[in-house]
Amino acid sequence: MVKNPVLLIHGLYDTVTVFDQLSAYLALGGWSVHSLNLIPNYGSAKLEDLASQMADYITNTFSDEQPIDIIGFSMGGLITRYYLQRLDGTKQVQRYINISAPNRGTTVAYSLPLPGIVQMRPDSEFIKDLNKDCQKKLNQVKCTFIWTPYDLMIIPPSSTLLGMGKEIQIPVILHGWMVKDQRVLKVIKEALLEPIV
């Protein structure tokens, strides 16, 4: 099987280094792994603007004909969804893995008034807009949602779930470990190996 290049999109306060273990694990498995540092990464930029950085990276890195797979972690899950749902990302992406993302918002986002953090609140216009047609848009790609019931950043933790795709619960103790835990890495690998029908 030919493996698609994989693009990893990080979350709030993170950089590409959050994916060091995952990147090494996938590279060992034969994948070409890509990631970029979203700037700024602390919530002062709107998520649409960060999604545009992602779109520019894809345009500059891959040909239009190159199918890719993407993984979005935490805030990166919303950025990747915006790319897929609003920037025609479904034309190029075949497999999508969404890990511990506030897909239906997180109450933690009420703690700071920065634009990108406000957009992650459960009642934000951004969340409402993305969720009104998520089934129709995201069903065009093979989706996997991975979450932990112990998440203290995504509250409630089940906010990651959209009632679609493959939903996998893994009891990881800390939010940040969701891209490091061996059980999660195994599930990611399996999802990336799923045939495209």
Side-chain angles (χ1 to χ4, degrees):
M1 146 181 188
V2 177
K3 296 180 169 91
N4 290 344
V6 182
L7 176 61
L8 313 176
I9 301 297
H10 67 74
L12 189 68
Y13 307 126
D14 288 331
T15 65
V16 295
T17 59
V18 76
F19 293 124
D20 282 354
Q21 280 173 262
L22 174 58
S23 296
Y25 178 80
L26 293 178
L28 203 61
W31 277 274
S32 168
V33 185
H34 302 261
S35 52
L36 71 149
N37 286 318
L38 301 168
I39 300 169
N41 67 349
Y42 57 89
S44 65
K46 290 198 166 184
L47 302 185
E48 301 95 299
D49 297 337
L50 299 179
S52 292
Q53 291 178 32
M54 175 188 171
D56 289 344
Y57 180 89
I58 290 170
T59 300
N60 295 329
T61 308
F62 310 106
S63 70
D64 292 344
E65 296 77 38
Q66 173 64 60
I68 63 171
D69 298 333
I70 60 174
I71 298 174
F73 168 56
S74 196
M75 178 181 78
L78 291 179
I79 292 163
T80 48
R81 280 186 58 202
Y82 190 88
Y83 170 73
L84 287 167
Q85 295 178 232
R86 298 290 175 261
L87 302 178
D88 286 333
T90 54
K91 290 179 180 172
Q92 194 158 4
V93 175
Q94 291 188 329
R95 296 175 191 83
Y96 173 49
I97 302 173
N98 179 290
I99 304 171
S100 290
N103 291 312
R104 289 186 287 121
T106 174
T107 56
V108 173
Y110 289 107
S111 60
L112 285 170
L114 295 170
I117 295 176
V118 168
Q119 286 180 305
M120 291 188 274
R121 294 174 180 176
D123 56 357
S124 77
E125 288 307 313
F126 183 86
I127 293 284
K128 288 179 192 168
D129 176 68
L130 272 192
N131 289 347
K132 72 184 180 193
D133 63 352
C134 62
Q135 302 264 350
K136 179 183 168 192
K137 294 282 190 177
L138 295 180
N139 273 329
Q140 297 173 50
V141 300
K142 191 169 275 287
C143 294
T144 303
F145 296 85
I146 307 172
W147 70 294
T148 172
Y150 303 118
D151 209 315
L152 294 177
M153 290 299 291
I154 311 302
I155 298 177
S158 60
S159 169
T160 294
L161 306 178
L162 291 171
M164 62 169 295
K166 188 177 278 188
E167 298 180 337
I168 301 171
Q169 176 182 317
I170 302 177
V172 178
I173 299 300
L174 293 175
H175 180 77
W177 291 358
M178 287 299 287
V179 287
K180 297 177 172 70
D181 189 283
Q182 288 299 314
R183 295 166 296 176
V184 179
L185 300 190
K186 185 170 178 285
V187 166
I188 290 170
K189 182 179 179 180
E190 288 167 358
L192 292 173
L193 288 171
E194 282 202 11
I196 299 299
V197 180

